[in-house]
Amino acid sequence: IDNPRFEKIYFDLTDPTSVNHVVKKYQPEYFINFAAQSFVGASWDIPVATWNCTATGVLHILEAIRTESPGTKFYNAGSSEEFGDVEYSPQDEKHPLRPRSPYGAAKAAARHIVKVYRDSYNLFAVQGWLFNHEGTRRGEEFVTRKITKSVALIKKALDENRIPPPIHLGNLESKRDWGDAQDFVRAVWLMMQQEKPIDYVVASGETHSIREFVEASLISADIPFDVVENTNFFTGDQPALAYTLKDDPETPLVYVNPKYFRPAEVQLLLGDSTRIEKELGWTPDVSFEKLVDNMTQHDILALSNKL
């Protein structure tokens, strides 16, 4: 924050006057927009706020660039949630938009308006399809960070000979294509250096279930576990035990809790980033296992006040 090239300013994407003022004042070479109400689960609770920020906010940026700084290169963060109820896997740039949440619908709307402004006003405007990108700065309301922080709490309790607080999660069988945020930002930067604006899919090319994420985090923390064989996880209205401490069935580690189920679940997302790999030379560096290990170890260290 002390870098002379960095300045922190405040403005409101839902206020066109505010956005217009910033673009007019700074005449940015690049406008890279990662702002959104980006928690998919909350988008059913606050659909209007999600839409205003995630979709209408993008229109405000584009209009400000058009009128005040048409030379600005604009990037808007797209999402694999735009594909939603997928027709085929892996998903590439030709896959139709089939969102299953207010968040996914807002991102799909933003994509359309980005294309409209690009085609109508010859702006450099792109929206990459970024599949799930995670890291140590991920918000704690997201399932990946919820898992790693909870696993750190379990480890701390076990190390102190206390009863560990179990994790309550939703659908463990839901699958996502998880990559490292730093890898993905590299891809965004490569998109912005091109002569022509092209939308690309950015993904790890692997799909893993939430169950796999849980197990990888427990392994990273060196917490032995047993899987509870229970076929009724998704039929009842009460939490169902999913994992216990190894050889200790009286110590629960993970529950499946129906209150965390979504009204419309996206069961499988898997991205095909062949095009950006061939055309821009981008490939991810961080594996799924390394990503989970990085996040888990970070939360363990943070809990022990070593960070």
Side-chain angles (χ1 to χ4, degrees):
I1 197 168
D2 295 325
N3 191 310
R5 297 177 60 198
F6 178 83
E7 180 182 353
K8 185 178 181 180
I9 62 174
Y10 294 93
F11 64 103
D12 180 0
L13 284 185
T14 65
D15 178 354
T17 302
S18 173
V19 179
N20 198 74
H21 171 75
V22 168
V23 172
K24 182 177 181 178
K25 177 180 178 180
Y26 288 94
Q27 298 286 304
E29 184 176 353
Y30 303 99
F31 194 127
I32 300 174
N33 180 42
F34 276 93
Q37 192 303 99
S38 58
F39 184 32
V40 178
S43 71
W44 278 279
D45 299 322
I46 48 171
V48 175
T50 299
W51 189 273
N52 286 343
C53 180
T54 310
T56 308
V58 174
L59 176 57
H60 293 159
I61 297 169
L62 288 165
E63 187 63 6
I65 289 173
R66 180 186 75 83
T67 58
E68 303 295 346
S69 184
T72 294
K73 286 186 170 184
F74 176 62
Y75 174 84
N76 190 58
S79 171
S80 56
E81 291 287 335
E82 298 171 48
F83 296 137
D85 187 17
V86 300
E87 290 189 343
Y88 61 83
S89 288
Q91 294 85 53
D92 56 17
E93 290 82 2
K94 296 180 180 179
H95 192 285
L97 305 185
R98 294 164 56 87
R100 295 266 286 173
S101 67
Y103 168 77
K107 284 293 186 183
R111 175 170 304 281
H112 287 308
I113 201 63
V114 165
K115 184 180 185 303
V116 167
Y117 269 68
R118 178 170 67 212
D119 295 345
S120 301
Y121 302 113
N122 197 32
L123 299 181
F124 189 106
V126 297
Q127 178 163 312
W129 284 277
L130 270 61
F131 279 64
N132 291 61
H133 41 292
E134 312 294 328
T136 57
R137 298 181 180 180
R138 184 54 127 168
E140 295 177 14
E141 70 273 21
F142 289 86
V143 68
T144 50
R145 189 71 192 289
K146 177 181 179 180
I147 291 168
T148 60
K149 186 169 183 180
S150 297
V151 165
L153 288 167
I154 290 172
K155 179 173 177 58
K156 183 176 176 64
L158 291 173
D159 288 346
E160 296 173 353
N161 295 313
R162 295 185 288 106
I163 297 174
I167 316 170
H168 283 249
L169 299 170
N171 183 3
L172 295 183
E173 312 311 326
S174 180
K175 293 184 176 181
R176 294 292 182 270
D177 184 323
W178 279 301
D180 182 80
Q182 294 184 82
D183 279 343
F184 281 40
V185 169
R186 250 192 321 111
V188 170
W189 185 246
L190 285 172
M191 286 185 223
M192 298 295 278
Q193 306 314 304
Q194 305 311 304
E195 291 185 7
K196 295 182 179 180
I198 299 175
D199 299 340
Y200 290 97
V201 164
V202 183
S204 75
E206 299 179 5
T207 188
H208 297 274
S209 65
I210 293 174
R211 180 182 293 279
E212 289 177 83
F213 200 104
V214 168
E215 293 182 1
S217 186
L218 290 169
I219 290 169
S220 172
D222 198 25
I223 299 172
F225 60 87
D226 283 327
V227 180
V228 177
E229 297 299 330
N230 187 332
T231 59
N232 298 317
F233 282 168
F234 311 111
T235 58
D237 58 1
Q238 297 298 316
L241 188 59
Y243 290 87
T244 63
L245 196 63
K246 188 170 182 63
D247 299 325
D248 184 2
E250 300 302 316
T251 303
L253 297 180
V254 180
Y255 284 97
V256 172
N257 193 325
K259 83 173 187 177
Y260 294 115
F261 290 1
R262 293 174 178 174
E265 180 65 84
V266 176
Q267 293 294 339
L268 169 65
L269 289 173
L270 172 61
D272 180 356
S273 54
T274 300
R275 187 178 181 186
I276 192 172
E277 291 174 6
K278 287 184 176 179
E279 296 182 5
L280 305 189
W282 177 84
T283 54
D285 291 334
V286 181
S287 68
F288 170 76
E289 292 76 15
K290 182 60 177 173
L291 169 65
V292 180
D293 183 59
N294 287 343
M295 293 178 67
T296 303
Q297 294 303 317
H298 176 273
D299 282 334
I300 290 172
L301 287 172
L303 203 58
S304 63
N305 296 320
K306 292 182 180 178
L307 279 182

